[in-house]
Amino acid sequence: MNDPLISIIIPTYNRAQFIAETLTSVKNQTYQNWECIVVDDGSTDNTIEIIQQFTASDNRFNLYLRPTNRPKGANACRNYGFEVSSGLYINWFDSDDIMAPTFIDEKHKAISQNRTLDGIISKRAFFKNTPDEVYAYERRTEITPDVINDFLQLKVSWYLQDVMWTRQFLEGKLLFDEVLLAGQDREFFVRMLMFDPNLKVIDVYLTMYRFHDQNITSQFNSIKHRSLKISHLYSTRRLIKMLLERKRLNSQTRMHLFKSLMRYYPYVRAKNEDFQTLKSALKLLGGNSPSYVILWAKLYISILSFKIFGKGETFLR
């Protein structure tokens, strides 16, 4: 039987510094029957020229431009990439990370051995300069009996590149939120987990994640990138409402999310609409127990401290 086609979908924007290394790692895969769909988000450097070198030499690489009627951003590129893909299995990837040579092969072998699986998850290592200089390994990648709450509490963790999905599972679902600016992976995964997919983890590190100062992750915790936090807040509120309606949040997760969202106050204090969104999200989560009363008190002490002294993060910890 012929090996099935596997689609690798990569959004990119101004990644001339890294994308050749990423695409070379795709080209070097031991598994041969793949297509690599790269969707450019309007790059202004020579990213497109570099991609065209790969498309000219190997017809398994395909370059698309994000349609102008879709919002700018990686999520629209990911959705569009899925729409034009043909593979039986789908694996999104990022244009600054590296695949191990057996990235596709190992996942295909695992998922083909169990036709009831909706996805297969591998693990990742983190590097800064070259893939040989690994500085950390993700140790939380596992499936637990209450995986959606454990995922929300960060007890278990995986990333977008780590999962190979079946097309059958993904089709007909709302995939990536195209207006969300940050936290896309986790938001996507939580919504997918609501469908209770049959997932399996293989104990092998196949994604090499490059950490650099242009990562959305590295920007997310900076007060200078308030828009990322605000986008994530609105998305999180929608997600909380959905999870509560479906009775998927346990008490520990509600408390975890409450404490996490409290720390958004410095980012929302400048605009009343954003502050009201934060308050409404907290009200969805918070109960009347003494623990929540104490947290609400800490929040309002922080608000007062900001008004008087211009700072008050200490009370939000």
Side-chain angles (χ1 to χ4, degrees):
M1 185 172 66
N2 294 331
D3 289 332
L5 179 67
I6 293 174
S7 299
I8 305 298
I9 301 171
I10 304 177
T12 189
Y13 174 72
N14 284 355
R15 283 291 187 258
Q17 182 181 356
F18 304 122
I19 196 166
E21 194 173 2
T22 297
L23 297 185
T24 297
S25 75
V26 178
K27 190 176 182 69
N28 291 340
Q29 290 299 297
T30 56
Y31 187 94
Q32 295 295 302
N33 193 23
W34 49 263
E35 63 174 359
C36 182
I37 295 169
V38 186
V39 183
D40 185 78
D41 194 31
S43 293
T44 56
D45 61 5
N46 64 327
T47 293
I48 288 179
E49 288 81 358
I50 294 171
I51 299 167
Q52 288 172 334
Q53 294 173 16
F54 286 84
T55 60
S57 62
D58 190 331
N59 62 14
R60 293 175 296 178
F61 288 100
N62 298 279
L63 171 62
Y64 292 86
L65 305 182
R66 173 185 49 78
T68 56
N69 64 343
R70 305 286 280 266
K72 180 173 176 55
N75 281 353
C77 294
R78 291 177 180 122
N79 285 339
Y80 183 67
F82 176 74
E83 291 163 15
V84 300
S85 69
S86 302
L88 183 65
Y89 302 108
I90 307 295
N91 207 129
W92 284 281
F93 208 73
D94 282 353
S95 58
D96 50 2
D97 296 336
I98 306 295
M99 292 182 178
T102 58
F103 180 92
I104 299 177
D105 213 354
E106 296 266 13
K107 293 184 180 183
H108 168 251
K109 286 177 182 176
I111 204 167
S112 63
Q113 290 170 0
N114 185 346
R115 298 297 182 181
T116 69
L117 288 175
D118 297 307
I120 199 79
I121 307 174
S122 62
K123 299 182 178 182
R124 71 164 48 195
F126 301 85
F127 74 98
K128 285 188 178 179
N129 298 309
T130 71
D132 295 329
E133 300 177 21
V134 172
Y135 70 89
Y137 293 90
E138 179 55 74
R139 307 290 189 186
R140 298 168 295 169
T141 306
E142 59 179 316
I143 301 296
T144 59
D146 190 7
V147 66
I148 192 166
N149 279 285
D150 289 339
F151 191 83
L152 284 163
Q153 293 180 55
L154 306 179
K155 293 179 181 178
V156 302
S157 182
W158 56 82
Y159 304 79
L160 193 60
Q161 301 92 318
D162 302 335
V163 187
M164 179 180 286
W165 298 95
T166 66
R167 175 177 290 278
Q168 182 178 10
F169 175 78
L170 294 172
E171 281 184 335
K173 294 180 174 65
L174 174 65
L175 298 180
F176 294 92
D177 181 345
E178 297 190 2
V179 300
L180 181 59
L181 301 179
Q184 299 101 320
D185 294 20
R186 296 193 63 78
E187 194 272 347
F188 166 77
F189 281 130
V190 171
R191 284 191 293 101
M192 294 304 105
L193 288 173
M194 288 188 211
F195 292 97
D196 298 311
N198 185 11
L199 301 171
K200 178 183 177 182
V201 172
I202 52 175
D203 189 17
V204 58
Y205 290 86
L206 299 177
T207 304
M208 308 298 291
Y209 177 89
R210 186 194 306 268
F211 187 84
H212 55 88
D213 59 9
Q214 296 176 45
N215 291 123
I216 289 293
T217 305
S218 64
Q219 298 175 17
F220 187 63
N221 290 319
S222 170
I223 194 71
K224 295 178 182 178
H225 293 86
R226 176 182 176 275
S227 60
L228 299 182
K229 284 283 193 181
I230 298 304
S231 175
H232 191 255
L233 168 63
Y234 279 80
S235 171
T236 301
R237 188 194 179 283
R238 291 193 298 270
L239 206 56
I240 289 168
K241 191 172 185 296
M242 191 183 306
L243 288 161
L244 288 171
E245 287 172 352
R246 300 186 185 192
K247 297 180 170 56
R248 300 301 297 265
L249 288 183
N250 64 29
S251 59
Q252 292 83 5
T253 302
R254 291 170 69 145
M255 178 63 75
H256 172 85
L257 291 173
F258 192 102
K259 290 178 178 179
S260 298
L261 287 178
M262 279 177 59
R263 300 188 183 102
Y264 280 50
Y265 177 69
Y267 302 89
V268 305
R269 56 189 292 262
K271 189 175 180 181
N272 185 60
E273 180 184 355
D274 297 335
F275 175 57
Q276 294 303 323
T277 299
L278 174 61
K279 281 180 62 178
S280 66
L282 294 174
K283 286 179 179 178
L284 285 172
L285 292 166
N288 296 318
S289 69
S291 297
Y292 282 106
V293 171
I294 292 170
L295 291 176
W296 278 110
K298 290 176 67 175
L299 174 62
Y300 280 100
I301 291 171
S302 174
I303 292 172
L304 183 62
S305 179
F306 269 105
K307 287 181 177 179
I308 297 174
F309 304 109
K311 59 183 179 180
E313 293 92 341
T314 302
F315 300 105
L316 302 173
R317 293 171 187 164

